[in-house]
Amino acid sequence: MEIHASKLGSICGVNPFENRDLCILEYKVKKEKCKYRRELLDLGIISVLKLDSENISKKLKVVYKNHQSEIKNPSDFSKRKREIIEELGKTVELDDKNLSLVEDIVNNNMKKDCGKNNESTVISNNNYKKGNSKLWIWSHPELNYTIKGFHDASKGDIVIEIKTRMKQANIRKNKYDLYQLFGYLLLMNKTKGKIVQYFN
C-alpha cells in the first residue's frame, strides 16, 4: 500500500476529521478502482451520481480555472462560489441535484487552492526554500507499504509544513499535523521540522 505523508494522521487514527477506515478504503479503491466500484455498487453502498449529459463537469473546470489563482481568503469563499456558479449557469442549466454536486466540487477545490495559493506568500515572507519539486519515497524494509509525499518548504536542515487555517478557532497544535511532519522527516532523512500556520 502507498500512503501519502499528508494522510499519516488519518491512517494512524489521530485525525478526528478523517475516518481511519474510510482513508484506508480510499487507498484500496485507488489501487483497484474497477474491483471496488463493482463491489460497492453490487452491495448498494454507493450509487452512480453523474452530472448531466451536457458535461457540466468539464465546463465547471474551465470556469473554475479562471478563479483558481485568486482564491486566498476563506471569507471570500461564498462570494467566489456564487460568481463561479453564476458564470457556469450562463452556459448550462443546473437543476437542484446538479447544483448540489457543483457546490460540493467548488467547496472542496476552494479549500485546497486556498492553501496552495497562500503557500508562496509564507515561503516568500520567511525566506524559505520552496519544496514540492521532488517526490520523496520511503519503503518499509519488511512490511509491504510505502510512504511518499512532496514537502512544502525548507530552511536549511529544517523541514517546513505550511497550514492555511480557514478559521481562527483552528489555529492550534494538531496531533495529525505532527504525524504528517514526522512523515516528511522520515522521507527526507531529517531530524528537525516546523509547522507554520497561516491565517487571514
Side-chain angles (χ1 to χ4, degrees):
M1 181 179 283
E2 288 185 346
I3 301 167
H4 291 89
S6 61
K7 295 289 186 178
L8 279 173
S10 304
I11 291 286
C12 294
V14 297
N15 187 342
F17 306 108
E18 289 185 12
N19 179 283
R20 180 179 188 266
D21 292 336
L22 182 59
C23 188
I24 292 169
L25 177 62
E26 285 176 9
Y27 277 114
K28 288 184 173 192
V29 169
K30 283 179 187 174
K31 193 171 182 180
E32 296 183 78
K33 289 179 185 158
C34 292
K35 173 190 169 187
Y36 283 100
R37 183 179 190 275
R38 189 174 55 254
E39 284 187 16
L40 294 171
L41 281 168
D42 290 346
L43 291 168
I45 293 171
I46 63 168
S47 59
V48 179
L49 288 176
K50 291 183 180 174
L51 293 174
D52 73 17
S53 58
E54 291 186 75
N55 215 339
I56 294 171
S57 178
K58 285 183 182 175
K59 293 184 179 185
L60 175 58
K61 281 181 186 173
V62 172
V63 171
Y64 184 82
K65 197 167 181 134
N66 295 331
H67 297 263
Q68 191 171 13
S69 63
E70 298 303 314
I71 297 170
K72 296 178 180 175
N73 190 338
S75 63
D76 295 337
F77 281 10
S78 295
K79 178 180 176 253
R80 186 72 63 179
K81 180 169 66 175
R82 251 191 337 270
E83 290 171 356
I84 291 167
I85 290 171
E86 282 174 15
E87 198 174 321
L88 179 65
K90 291 176 184 174
T91 60
V92 295
E93 196 172 314
L94 295 170
D95 61 21
D96 288 344
K97 186 171 125 183
N98 286 331
L99 179 60
S100 176
L101 288 169
V102 165
E103 285 180 339
D104 286 346
I105 292 168
V106 172
N107 286 335
N108 288 333
N109 285 339
M110 283 195 299
K111 284 178 191 172
K112 289 178 202 164
D113 289 323
C114 183
K116 284 181 197 169
N117 293 339
N118 286 315
E119 265 182 26
S120 56
T121 302
V122 174
I123 290 168
S124 173
N125 289 349
N126 293 283
N127 295 316
Y128 296 149
K129 181 180 176 190
K130 184 170 173 36
N132 293 324
S133 57
K134 176 182 177 182
L135 176 63
W136 296 91
I137 300 171
W138 178 87
S139 295
H140 192 283
E142 297 161 12
L143 302 175
N144 189 20
Y145 73 87
T146 300
I147 299 173
K148 63 182 185 177
F150 293 94
H151 73 297
D152 292 336
S154 57
K155 186 161 191 169
D157 274 346
I158 300 171
V159 179
I160 308 292
E161 178 59 27
I162 301 166
K163 296 293 179 187
T164 298
R165 301 303 184 198
M166 301 295 154
K167 298 176 184 172
Q168 192 163 7
N170 293 341
I171 301 172
R172 60 179 180 265
K173 290 181 184 176
N174 295 310
K175 197 172 184 179
Y176 54 90
D177 291 335
L178 288 172
Y179 276 57
Q180 180 179 359
L181 183 60
F182 293 155
Y184 289 122
L185 295 177
L186 176 66
L187 288 170
M188 299 169 72
N189 198 26
K190 301 285 185 184
T191 58
K192 293 181 183 176
K194 182 177 181 179
I195 295 172
V196 176
Q197 300 187 73
Y198 179 88
F199 172 70
N200 220 7

